Amino acid sequence: MTMKTNTNERHPNTAAARLRIGGAISSLWLWLLLLVAAGALAYFYLMRPGEVAQAPQAPGRRQGFDPSRPMPVVAAPAKTGDIDVHLRGLGSVTPIATVTVRTRVDGQLMKVLFQEGQIVRAGELLAEIDPRQFQTQLAQAEGQMARDQALLRNALIDLERYRVLFQQDSIAKQQLDTQEALVRQYEGTVKVDQAAIDTARLQLVYCRITAPVGGRLGLRQIDPGNIVRAGDANGLVVITQLQPITVVFTIAEDNVRAVMHKLRAREKLPVDAFDRADKTRLASGILLTADNQIDPATGTVKLKAQFANGDYALFPNQFVNTRMLLEVKRGATSIPTAAVQRGSRGTFVYVVKSDDTVAVRPITLGPAQGENVAVEAGIEPGERVVVDGADKLREGAKVDTGSMSAPAAGNGPRRGGERKGGAGKGGARKGGEAPAPADRQ
């Protein structure tokens, strides 16, 4: 009987060998894949940059900085004209007079003849108090006056009689002197009675409450029917004078000398009041006076200006921005404020010379007006200064003033490579539409 023997039993290492061979083949394929991937990456990073560099660049994209190429800038000439020197400050509207209307006599408030917020004139009737008690006092004083006047007349008649008798040596001198003293006594009593009558009449006048000043009435503090007294703290109503009205504002102490010189010369300095945003002019007036001391905490001094306030644009305690015209510099040289540069050596500008190169020129600045500033030294009228594009300029750098247009009012400088209007060949969009965000670049 023939017995078959299992091959794996006779060759026990055959299966392990096959497993080792399969693992070696898998590792080989893995290394081949890694080599292919490394070759692709090397090709992309080493070979592609040369091709990209040779490819044409998209229009409008910057190709790198070339030092020999002229820098595009915007230049503006220095001009000669008048420059207004203004002093600006912060202030608040202050009424000339603020009066709390109170009663001068005690009594019941019978009538209120005004409306809240009403504009009244000085002397206009506002309210009435019950006058009956003061009418009674007046009648009593007049009755006392009539009685004392009768006594005075009788004493005067007796005095004339005693004088005749004394001349006839019929009475003693002492009796005549006593009668003369009695007459003087009655005369004093009559004067007291007259004063009582005047007081009673004055009380009746005080029963009619009138406006002491003209202005705008505030809110009513008490209603008719209540008992009012002279010692009431709140009173009946508050009147604030609005025409004219004043504004108290502050300026720096460095400008006090120039302002006081104008005040001593009795010059009327115009002052304009603007709203909180400093955009809308509310009123125009003149400077009245200055305070007598400088605030050491802030280094400022208070000034007071008066305004007619015909349209009631200024309201008491309103915050305003003030602008006072101190003087006008005639024939001053001015340049755009955007042309002024600042460095370690002070203020300077880039001046464009005739050969289209720039030169650094130190300047001395004067007062500013709007978008222009006066130059006291360093610039002559007609010289061109760089307004935009001065970031990378140096002494002697070549510039190109034709590739950039002059700044438009309110829009700032426009690049020469940008399309005017920002859309299509026609420039501005039809119908005045604003350009899209992509067009504004």
Side-chain angles (χ1 to χ4, degrees):
M1 183 174 180
T2 304
M3 297 181 64
K4 294 182 179 180
T5 306
N6 190 355
T7 305
N8 294 336
E9 294 178 356
R10 290 182 300 172
H11 302 284
N13 296 329
T14 302
R18 291 178 179 177
L19 292 175
R20 287 195 296 269
I21 292 173
I25 294 174
S26 299
S27 300
L28 180 61
W29 279 107
L30 180 61
W31 281 105
L32 288 175
L33 291 175
L34 291 176
L35 288 176
V36 171
L41 292 175
Y43 174 79
F44 181 79
Y45 284 105
L46 297 178
M47 300 300 295
R48 295 294 296 174
E51 297 177 5
V52 173
Q54 296 176 1
Q57 193 172 17
R61 183 175 297 178
R62 188 173 180 180
Q63 297 183 359
F65 176 72
D66 185 5
S68 62
R69 184 167 58 91
M71 293 292 297
V73 297
V74 174
K79 299 181 180 180
T80 302
D82 298 339
I83 296 293
D84 297 336
V85 180
H86 290 100
L87 296 181
R88 293 183 174 271
L90 303 178
S92 61
V93 180
T94 305
I96 295 179
T98 301
V99 180
T100 300
V101 179
R102 295 185 176 91
T103 177
R104 297 188 181 185
V105 295
D106 299 345
Q108 185 179 16
L109 184 62
M110 302 301 294
K111 295 180 181 179
V112 174
L113 305 175
F114 65 87
Q115 296 180 356
E116 296 174 328
Q118 177 183 349
I119 301 297
V120 297
R121 298 184 301 271
E124 188 171 344
L125 183 62
L126 301 179
E128 291 183 357
I129 297 176
D130 188 3
R132 289 175 294 180
Q133 59 174 336
F134 304 107
Q135 293 173 350
T136 303
Q137 294 176 5
L138 177 60
Q140 182 180 0
E142 290 176 345
Q144 185 67 30
M145 177 72 168
R147 174 180 175 276
D148 293 336
Q149 285 180 341
L151 294 175
L152 176 59
R153 287 194 296 269
N154 184 50
L156 288 174
I157 294 173
D158 290 343
L159 178 59
E160 294 296 331
R161 185 181 299 113
Y162 288 166
R163 286 175 178 173
V164 173
L165 294 176
F166 176 74
Q167 292 177 358
Q168 298 176 355
D169 199 16
S170 300
I171 59 174
K173 181 67 168 59
Q174 180 180 1
Q175 190 175 359
L176 177 61
D177 296 338
T178 302
Q179 188 62 30
E180 291 177 350
L182 183 61
V183 169
R184 288 192 295 268
Q185 178 182 350
Y186 287 148
E187 289 176 348
T189 303
V190 169
K191 290 183 179 180
V192 172
D193 295 338
Q194 184 62 47
I197 292 174
D198 294 340
T199 301
R201 289 175 178 173
L202 185 60
Q203 300 297 322
L204 285 174
V205 173
Y206 288 161
C207 288
R208 295 170 56 86
I209 302 175
T210 58
V213 295
R216 184 192 296 274
L217 296 176
L219 302 180
R220 189 176 61 196
Q221 302 297 325
I222 194 168
D223 298 325
N226 289 279
I227 301 298
V228 293
R229 294 178 176 83
D232 293 341
N234 296 329
L236 276 69
V237 70
V238 177
I239 301 178
T240 302
Q241 183 175 348
L242 300 180
Q243 293 179 341
I245 202 168
T246 61
V247 172
V248 177
F249 61 99
T250 58
I251 61 171
E253 60 180 331
D254 299 336
N255 301 317
V256 173
R257 181 178 180 183
V259 174
M260 296 305 298
H261 177 72
K262 297 290 184 179
L263 288 176
R264 286 193 295 268
R266 299 187 181 277
E267 296 186 19
K268 295 183 178 180
L269 300 180
V271 181
D272 294 330
F274 291 81
D275 61 354
R276 183 183 293 270
D278 202 13
K279 294 182 179 180
T280 304
R281 185 174 63 179
L282 302 177
S284 298
I286 59 173
L287 181 65
L288 282 184
T289 185
D291 200 0
N292 58 356
Q293 58 183 348
I294 296 175
D295 187 355
T298 60
T300 58
V301 64
K302 294 181 181 179
L303 302 181
K304 178 182 285 188
Q306 180 173 309
F307 299 82
N309 200 26
D311 56 353
Y312 298 101
L314 298 179
F315 205 78
N317 298 329
Q318 179 183 4
F319 176 84
V320 294
N321 291 280
T322 59
R323 188 179 66 181
M324 180 176 65
L325 179 61
L326 184 61
E327 61 176 334
V328 179
K329 288 186 174 295
R330 305 292 182 182
T333 303
S334 63
I335 60 174
T337 307
V340 179
Q341 307 293 324
R342 288 173 172 82
S344 58
R345 294 180 295 177
T347 56
F348 63 94
V349 294
Y350 288 104
V351 179
V352 181
K353 298 190 293 186
S354 58
D355 57 351
D356 288 339
T357 60
V358 295
V360 178
R361 186 80 60 81
I363 59 174
T364 303
L365 295 179
Q369 178 182 1
E371 297 181 353
N372 297 326
V373 60
V375 179
E376 297 181 354
I379 293 293
E380 297 296 331
E383 289 186 313
R384 295 183 301 166
V385 295
V386 176
V387 178
D388 188 18
D391 299 338
K392 297 182 179 180
L393 292 182
R394 297 294 183 270
E395 176 73 29
K398 194 76 173 178
V399 296
D400 180 12
T401 59
S403 61
M404 297 182 68
S405 59
N411 297 326
R414 182 187 295 132
R415 299 290 179 182
E418 295 178 353
R419 183 174 298 174
K420 296 181 180 179
K425 297 180 181 180
R429 293 173 176 264
K430 295 182 179 180
E433 298 178 357
D439 298 333
R440 295 195 188 103
Q441 184 176 359

